[in-house]
Amino acid sequence: MTYDEIINQIFTALPMYHKIGSSAYKEGLENIEALTALIGHPEKQLKTIHVAGTNGKGSTTHLLSSFYQEMGCKVGLYTSPHLVDFRERIKVNGEMITKEAVVAFFEKFNEKFQQIEPSFFEMTTALAFHYFAEQQVDIAIIEVGLGGRLDATNVILPELCIITNISLDHTQLLGDTLAKIAFEKAGIMKPNVPVVVGKRQLETLPVFTARAQELHAPLHTTEKVKITHVGSDDGNPAIRHIALEYNNIVFSSDIRLPLVGNYQLENVATFVEAVIQRHGMAPDIIELIVRAIENVLSNTHLHGRWEIVGTQPLTICDTGHNSGGFEFLAQQLESLNCTQLHCIIGFVNDKDIDSIIHLLPRKARYVVCKASVARAEEPAVIVQKMAAAGLTAEASEEAVFSTYQSLIQHISKSDAVYIGGSTFIVADFLKGKGI
């Protein structure tokens, strides 16, 4: 089979959470354990860092990959979902898995896998472990897909666990309170393995502390990390410069942070704490931390995090897609210096759309699109909810990128356009734009 035939097969034949929702979610580790056994348990050959959390996982994992790349390591990075290309999920030193490696894996194992009936994510996780072992990576940064305790990635024995933050998301699967969701995320903790908690939250920290004590796992928070905004790029005011301190020791008084958005400061703090807990604070480590932050985009090719994809009008896309993410995004949108803010948005039907709508800027004008996945909510349903909340919104019958092209023909160059609400809205836009 060709690469395209294989991708078409796994996209259509295997249950995919991001397309059809909770019916694709396979609770338990039996399938992934069977899959990894069939391929020789490659996960046991890997040194890993395991990253869970509601928001910030992607940015934190990419910062960690950037750090180890700067160190000269060969770094595996496993994240989800992808935006444009399936192979974005599995990278080594920022380069996507080759098509040839995907083909070879499925030609070798697919027939045996059929007896197990895996989900799309379970199959992809097995592929990632196999590829990283085959490539003999020095370390693999593994992002949890959903939850933690029962996630397919939770068959690894990591050297460090990270939990970025907790907010209400996937409540139908993980629980309807922050404490219940925290319990699921805490499921990645392992006996005697250090864990870094990125955000100290009143409802969740006791859950993490209790579980860490049970497992004798040293628990660390980011309270010693201090990040101060010291200026912006002359050519791009959205790119900030930060000063970084740890326990009153100044790492640098001027670091160029290319990850745009206030919410990224929390992710940087989590990354810094994680590196220090694993490697200490020697001058060469501090230098690597600074370089990793400044070079994260060029090292890892991260997309979709407050990404500026156009000027005149300023056009920004962001993959934030739940109430926790929009608490930060709404502040960013409110602070934009523009004549009028236009938002092209859409949501999937298993999100708490009402809680997100409550956070959206009141003065913006909204165009609602339907992403090209089965889970996408109908624009008319969202418009009705937004109108009830006092927002100005209209439904679009066009695809996301076509909607954008139509919009910019009728607005001022001094306006701004935000594209988001769902990872899949961003993905459709980037595909249309050819990014």
Side-chain angles (χ1 to χ4, degrees):
M1 296 177 69
T2 67
Y3 171 79
D4 289 339
E5 288 170 339
I6 287 171
I7 292 300
N8 182 63
Q9 177 180 313
I10 65 174
F11 272 46
T12 55
L14 301 182
M16 295 178 66
Y17 181 88
H18 86 259
K19 280 194 171 184
I20 63 175
S22 58
S23 62
Y25 179 64
K26 296 202 173 185
E27 189 173 276
L29 302 178
E30 295 83 1
N31 273 9
I32 188 63
E33 288 170 345
L35 291 175
T36 54
L38 275 175
I39 62 177
H41 285 295
E43 77 283 2
K44 294 183 178 180
Q45 304 171 38
L46 303 172
K47 289 184 178 180
T48 58
I49 295 176
H50 207 186
V51 184
T54 307
N55 298 298
K57 299 189 299 294
S59 297
T60 302
T61 55
H62 282 75
L63 283 163
L64 285 165
S65 181
S66 182
F67 171 82
Y68 287 107
Q69 288 175 241
E70 291 290 343
M71 187 181 271
C73 296
K74 194 172 188 179
V75 189
L77 177 61
Y78 180 49
T79 60
S80 61
H82 63 274
L83 288 175
V84 177
D85 190 322
F86 164 78
R87 296 178 300 134
E88 295 169 30
R89 295 168 177 259
I90 302 169
K91 294 180 180 178
V92 172
N93 283 4
E95 298 301 322
M96 296 186 294
I97 184 173
T98 64
K99 292 182 178 180
E100 292 78 11
V102 176
V103 170
F105 179 81
F106 282 96
E107 285 183 343
K108 186 173 183 179
F109 298 114
N110 193 36
E111 188 173 330
K112 294 179 181 179
F113 285 173
Q114 299 313 309
Q115 305 162 22
I116 299 169
E117 297 184 351
S119 70
F120 172 87
F121 187 73
E122 289 166 340
M123 178 78 87
T124 308
T125 300
L127 169 60
F129 292 157
H130 180 270
Y131 186 65
F132 294 155
E134 189 179 63
Q135 291 291 306
Q136 298 182 318
V137 300
D138 298 305
I139 189 159
I141 316 299
I142 308 295
E143 178 188 316
V144 167
L146 193 157
R149 181 174 64 93
L150 300 174
D151 187 74
T153 62
N154 203 27
V155 292
I156 59 175
L157 180 58
E159 300 197 350
L160 178 70
C161 297
I162 300 171
I163 302 173
T164 57
N165 60 41
I166 304 296
S167 65
L168 294 174
D169 197 13
H170 303 298
T171 53
Q172 74 279 21
L173 298 173
L174 303 181
D176 57 2
T177 69
L178 294 181
K180 288 178 182 178
I181 295 173
F183 173 79
E184 295 298 326
K185 308 288 185 185
I188 71 166
M189 294 186 190
K190 302 295 187 295
N192 304 306
V193 174
V195 57
V196 171
V197 174
K199 184 175 183 179
R200 294 169 61 92
Q201 295 168 271
L202 183 64
E203 302 95 327
T204 62
L205 189 58
V207 177
F208 298 139
T209 301
R211 184 58 177 157
Q213 289 173 345
E214 289 175 19
L215 297 171
H216 304 287
L219 186 145
H220 308 276
T221 65
T222 58
E223 59 187 336
K224 294 180 181 178
V225 184
K226 182 180 179 182
I227 300 174
T228 309
H229 179 215
V230 295
S232 301
D233 261 14
D234 292 336
N236 186 355
I239 303 292
R240 71 185 64 204
H241 289 244
I242 59 172
L244 180 60
E245 298 178 35
Y246 187 86
N247 204 20
N248 298 318
I249 296 172
V250 177
F251 279 21
S252 175
S253 57
D254 189 1
I255 303 172
R256 185 179 186 273
L257 175 61
L259 296 177
V260 182
N262 289 331
Y263 63 90
Q264 293 292 2
L265 301 184
E266 189 176 290
N267 299 326
V268 171
T270 304
F271 154 71
V272 170
E273 184 66 39
V275 169
I276 288 172
Q277 292 309 321
R278 194 160 190 263
H279 296 285
M281 292 174 55
D284 60 329
I285 297 300
I286 292 173
E287 181 183 345
L288 289 172
I289 288 172
V290 172
R291 282 175 19 205
I293 294 169
E294 293 195 329
N295 298 331
V296 61
L297 296 185
S298 58
N299 282 340
T300 68
H301 308 133
L302 176 65
H303 285 294
R305 274 65 173 185
W306 199 258
E307 184 175 0
I308 297 172
V309 291
T311 57
Q312 294 186 331
L314 174 66
T315 303
I316 297 163
C317 63
D318 192 282
T319 54
H321 56 272
N322 51 47
S323 57
F326 269 91
E327 286 179 8
F328 287 105
L329 283 173
Q331 296 171 22
Q332 289 290 122
L333 292 171
E334 292 277 15
S335 68
L336 287 175
N337 183 18
C338 61
T339 303
Q340 176 66 52
L341 173 62
H342 305 266
C343 299
I344 299 174
I345 63 171
F347 302 100
V348 290
N349 56 23
D350 55 0
K351 294 294 178 189
D352 183 2
I353 297 174
D354 292 325
S355 68
I356 296 173
I357 288 174
H358 174 71
L359 297 168
L360 294 174
R362 303 289 101 183
K363 295 181 181 179
R365 295 173 181 167
Y366 295 88
V367 182
V368 183
C369 290
K370 184 177 182 179
S372 57
V373 293
R375 289 167 60 206
E377 183 60 274
E378 292 295 334
V381 173
I382 300 170
V383 167
Q384 187 174 16
K385 289 176 178 288
M386 297 181 77
L391 298 172
T392 302
E394 62 180 285
S396 173
E397 295 182 358
E398 296 183 285
V400 177
F401 187 66
S402 297
T403 298
Y404 171 73
Q405 289 180 306
S406 298
L407 176 67
I408 61 175
Q409 300 301 316
H410 303 98
I411 65 176
S412 169
K413 291 184 177 181
S414 61
D415 288 355
V417 182
Y418 159 76
I419 300 151
S422 164
T423 300
F424 311 111
I425 291 290
V426 175
D428 285 353
F429 173 79
L430 293 178
K431 288 175 186 175
K433 196 169 175 59
I435 294 178

